[in-house]
């Protein structure tokens, strides 16, 4: 049976294909090429950035029949078995479900026997921080004096929960969140492989939504491809996933700037009737304001905004200042925090929109003080007759 090609089934096959982890790749490459192989590796970092994939790749790199290499052949029986997950010499253990000391004792006994058909016997322990203390202690004995053919590769999202005694005996690698531009590049590669057309801003949106996790990006991408009919666009994403369109946000913002409460509230009603949830509305609005704030502060990188600057309503920049946007964003974020306790989230959102329609008149205390200071200074330097009433006081 042939699987449908999807992005989330894509796995890097060698270290050179691993994205966004340049430091990890360079160090491992160096270690493999110089033959200085550690007996315990510890891969830490956020979820979905390639730790477990890297562990499997490293296992392949070390056990490929063609010799240890950062580009394992991928066709020898060792490479194939590791890829399928059924190599006798590469044992994957989920730390989350094998937390006890007995599981580790088994490893302690097993390591006495060398690998079957490979150079190394490799234990990949995922979520290693889940192991119990006694399990860690049992493990420690083994990694202190491992037989020369044993290699441990630990992976964890919570490095601080791994005892220092274990950490200090491992070569440590800190995996990072993958940059947005890099994720977008990966997605555009997948689009090419699948012959799917795409709009730049649509891929940007997916990349941004995945917040640095390649795995999340691929999962979301697959979902979006399934309804995109061969062409991924932001409009389709927004429609199918129930998000607010950029045009609607711009329109709303223009109404608010012009103090048009009635039109703002009607537009809000239209958007909510269209299937956008109150919560989603707040999230999209917060993101929109955050982007405006960035532009006010001179940050215009498309990879940070997800859009080019010209997609944002110019009336916002002409009529408001950054402090007013800060205030609006704060109001929106506060509402997001409070909404879960609300008896009627929709009413609260309507109240917020009504309040935001006075955004032009919003002045924060600091600006007010500065303005007062300026006025005071002007009065101080102005000639006396400029202040009506003062003359009268003197006469009396
Ligand atoms: Zn091979």
């Amino acid at each position: 049976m042939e699987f449908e090609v999807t992005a989330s089934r894509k796995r890097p096959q060698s270290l050179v294909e691993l994205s966004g982890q340049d430091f990890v790749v360079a160090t491992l490459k160096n270690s493999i090429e110089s033959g200085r192989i550690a007996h315990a590796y510890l891969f830490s970092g956020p979820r979905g950035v390639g730790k477990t994939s890297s562990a499997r790749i490293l296992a392949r790199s070390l056990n490929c029949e063609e010799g240890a290499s950062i580009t394992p052949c991928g066709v020898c029986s060792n490479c194939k078995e590791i890829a399928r997950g059924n190599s006798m010499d590469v044992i994957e253990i989920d730390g989350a479900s094998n937390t006890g000391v007995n599981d580790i004792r088994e490893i302690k006994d097993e390591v006495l026997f060398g690998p079957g058909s490979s150079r190394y016997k490799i234990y990949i322990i995922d979520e290693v921080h889940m192991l119990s203390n006694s399990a860690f202690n049992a493990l420690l004995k083994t990694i202190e004096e491992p037989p020369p053919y044993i290699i441990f590769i630990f992976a964890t999202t919570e490095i601080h929960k791994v005892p220092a005694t274990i950490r200090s005996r491992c070569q440590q690698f800190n995996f990072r969140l993958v940059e947005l531009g890099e994720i977008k590049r990966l997605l555009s590669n997948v689009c090419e492989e699948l012959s799917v057309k795409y709009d730049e801003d649509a891929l940007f949106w997916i990349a941004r939504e995945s917040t640095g996790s390649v795995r999340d990006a691929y999962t979301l991408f697959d979902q979006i491809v399934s309804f995109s009919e061969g062409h991924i666009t932001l409009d389709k994403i927004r429609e199918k996933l129930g998000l607010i369109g950029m045009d609607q946000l711009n329109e709303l913002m223009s109404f608010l700037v012009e103090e048009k409460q009635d039109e703002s509230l009607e537009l809000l009603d239209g958007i909510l009737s269209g299937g956008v949830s109150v919560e989603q509305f707040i999230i999209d609005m917060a993101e929109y304001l955050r982007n405006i704030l960035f532009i006010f502060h001179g940050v215009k990188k498309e990879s940070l905004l997800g859009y080019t600057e010209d997609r944002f309503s110019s009336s916002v920049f002409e009529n408001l200042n950054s402090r007013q946007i800060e205030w609006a964003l704060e109001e929106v974020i506060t509402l997001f925090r409070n909404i879960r306790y609300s008896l009627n989230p929709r009413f609260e959102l309507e109240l917020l929109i009504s309040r935001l329609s006075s955004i032009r008149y919003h002045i924060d205390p600091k600006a007010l003080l500065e303005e007062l200071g300026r006025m005071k200074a002007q009065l101080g330097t102005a000639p006396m007759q400029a202040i009506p009433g003062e003359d009268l006081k003197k006469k009396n």
Side-chain angles (χ1 to χ4, degrees), residues 3 6 14 19 49 58 88 98 107 154 195 212 214 239-240 276 320 329 338 364 370 380 388 396:
F3 282 111
T6 55
S14 75
S19 304
V49 295
L58 180 59
M88 296 292 285
N98 300 276
I107 299 179
F154 305 121
S195 310
V214 178
E239 190 200 321
K240 296 283 183 181
V276 174
L320 300 177
L329 179 56
N338 295 340
D364 71 314
E370 279 167 8
N396 295 339

Side-chain angles (χ1 to χ4, degrees), residues 309-321:
E309 191 191 342
D310 55 18
R311 291 288 314 268
F312 296 88
S313 161
S314 59
S315 86
V316 175
F317 300 104
E318 285 155 13
N319 295 296
L320 300 177
N321 61 43

Side-chain angles (χ1 to χ4, degrees), residues 150-162:
I150 291 290
I151 290 175
F152 286 101
I153 308 173
F154 305 121
T156 179
T157 45
E158 298 184 57
I159 184 83
H160 57 279
K161 290 187 182 162
V162 179

Side-chain angles (χ1 to χ4, degrees), residues 64-66 72-76 79:
C64 174
E65 285 168 17
E66 300 289 315
C73 74
V75 291
C76 71
C79 279

Side-chain angles (χ1 to χ4, degrees), residues 75-135:
V75 291
C76 71
S77 57
N78 277 353
C79 279
K80 279 184 176 163
E81 280 172 11
I82 297 171
R84 282 198 301 264
N86 60 3
S87 166
M88 296 292 285
D89 297 321
V90 177
I91 301 106
E92 281 195 42
I93 295 163
D94 179 11
S97 50
N98 300 276
T99 56
V101 67
N102 286 334
D103 303 306
I104 300 299
R105 276 213 190 100
E106 266 173 43
I107 299 179
K108 265 179 84 179
D109 296 337
E110 278 175 24
V111 298
L112 301 175
F113 304 98
S117 58
S118 323
R119 225 165 287 120
Y120 297 102
K121 193 167 182 177
I122 300 170
Y123 286 88
I124 298 174
I125 306 186
D126 213 355
E127 301 299 345
V128 70
H129 62 271
M130 301 286 279
L131 293 183
S132 64
N133 268 338
S134 44

